[in-house]
Amino acid sequence: MKGEYGASDPFCQPLVVRTRKWTIVTALKQLIRFGWEQARSCVFPVVIFASLALTKLVPLPLLPRYDWLLVICLLMQWWMVRSGLETRDELEVITLFHIIGLALELFKVRMGSWSYPEEGYTKLFGVPLYSGFMYASVASYLCQAWRRLKVELVQWPPFWLVVPLAAAIYLNFFTHHYWVDVRWWLSSFVMLVFWRSWVTYEVGGVRYRMPLVLSFLLIGFFIWIAENIATFFGAWQYPNQAKAWSLVHLGKVSSWCLLVIVSFLIVATLKQVKKEYVDREEAGHG
């Protein structure tokens, strides 16, 4: 064989080598597919970041920057529903997140945790209304990724445990200003409650699974990166960034992880409730 075809002929390579190369190529293709679906799910956050950069570098006429950001977010939300990128059910979830996020913003700005120093006509008690869309964009990502990747939950804890936990995490963002900060206790409780829970998702017809706790950590970390980008472009400002921009403290990852957990728990609970409702309807018609 060597004399006829040459040692470099690919058909002379051991089967295990060709199999390994095929496995690597397949894994890369799956990674690209996964990245593409993630990118499509991040349309709303990407538009917000692009708008922050554009309005920072190129001042727009007629309205202050915060007001233009609100106009852009409203137009983007309308277009996503109009084009079918988001369903009306997802719009309801996103609106809920807008309200939850805006309430948190109003409180945090009042307590001096961060500020919005620029002028704007659409500011309420120092908080521009576009800020709620930053929370809504997280919900938009979760809803779209859930649908595109056909997410399913394995060993999901009972409703009576999930809802109080989500409420306690959200309330701690408020109460720690007046009482003990129990975020680490809540984080430990999350680890305990979801230790056996998995999230499964589909890429290119193949299903994968990931520990739910790991997904919380990964999403929280990437949102922390996004927060650094947002503060760099002046979306909001922490007290230590008043004179010059600096990296957001890594400790903020814990806050974002908890916020992601609240977001995920709300979306997951609503998905579970809707699934049970649909199953009952189908059973009734059957």
Side-chain angles (χ1 to χ4, degrees):
M1 289 290 288
K2 273 190 180 180
E4 184 176 355
Y5 294 102
S8 62
D9 191 282
F11 293 101
C12 296
Q13 296 179 4
L15 179 61
V16 66
V17 175
R18 295 204 301 270
T19 302
R20 187 181 298 118
K21 285 185 176 181
W22 177 256
T23 302
I24 293 173
V25 170
T26 302
L28 287 173
K29 286 181 178 179
Q30 287 293 85
L31 183 61
I32 292 171
R33 290 192 186 104
F34 179 74
W36 173 243
E37 294 300 337
Q38 289 283 357
R40 293 175 65 194
S41 302
C42 288
V43 171
F44 206 161
V46 167
V47 168
I48 289 179
F49 284 126
S51 302
L52 287 169
L54 174 65
T55 56
K56 183 74 172 180
L57 300 174
V58 183
L60 299 178
L62 303 178
L63 293 173
R65 180 176 179 236
Y66 289 161
D67 301 321
W68 273 116
L69 289 169
L70 177 60
V71 171
I72 293 170
C73 287
L74 287 170
L75 289 174
M76 182 61 188
Q77 185 68 84
W78 172 82
W79 176 78
M80 289 188 72
V81 176
R82 179 76 175 180
S83 65
L85 280 176
E86 282 181 354
T87 66
R88 293 194 176 274
D89 285 344
E90 290 170 349
L91 177 61
E92 292 174 3
V93 175
I94 290 166
T95 302
L96 173 63
F97 273 83
H98 193 287
I99 295 170
I100 290 173
L102 193 58
L104 183 61
E105 287 288 319
L106 289 167
F107 179 80
K108 288 293 187 178
V109 168
R110 181 175 177 273
M111 297 303 295
S113 298
W114 56 78
S115 64
Y116 294 89
E118 298 180 32
E119 296 297 322
Y121 296 115
T122 54
K123 290 180 74 173
L124 181 65
F125 300 109
V127 177
L129 296 182
Y130 89 85
S131 63
F133 281 101
M134 291 188 288
Y135 296 84
S137 68
V138 175
S140 174
Y141 159 74
L142 287 173
C143 288
Q144 292 206 43
W146 199 293
R147 172 163 41 87
R148 295 181 192 280
L149 298 175
K150 300 178 182 178
V151 171
E152 293 183 2
L153 303 172
V154 179
Q155 294 186 335
W156 184 251
F159 183 83
W160 61 265
L161 193 57
V162 171
V163 173
L165 178 58
I169 293 172
Y170 181 69
L171 288 174
N172 186 65
F173 285 113
F174 297 86
T175 58
H176 82 84
H177 288 278
Y178 306 103
W179 190 53
V180 180
D181 188 354
V182 294
R183 74 176 65 187
W184 298 114
W185 289 96
L186 290 170
S187 299
S188 300
F189 195 50
V190 167
M191 294 280 288
L192 180 64
V193 170
F194 294 100
W195 185 253
R196 299 179 61 191
S197 300
W198 293 76
V199 56
T200 68
Y201 55 96
E202 185 174 308
V203 180
V206 181
R207 291 205 69 81
Y208 300 90
R209 71 174 188 167
M210 178 186 295
L212 192 57
V213 172
L214 177 59
S215 68
F216 290 154
L217 292 173
L218 289 175
I219 297 174
F221 176 72
F222 283 112
I223 292 181
W224 173 78
I225 293 177
E227 183 182 26
N228 278 284
I229 297 172
T231 54
F232 179 79
F233 287 118
W236 65 89
Q237 186 181 86
Y238 287 109
N240 65 311
Q241 296 173 328
K243 293 183 179 179
W245 180 84
S246 60
L247 198 67
V248 176
H249 193 274
L250 196 60
K252 288 290 181 181
V253 172
S254 64
S255 298
W256 282 112
C257 280
L258 288 173
L259 185 62
V260 165
I261 290 168
V262 172
S263 305
F264 191 93
L265 296 187
I266 292 174
V267 172
T269 301
L270 292 174
K271 293 281 186 182
Q272 293 288 95
V273 170
K274 184 176 181 181
K275 183 177 182 298
E276 291 175 3
Y277 173 79
V278 171
D279 289 345
R280 284 198 303 268
E281 286 290 307
E282 289 178 352
H285 289 299

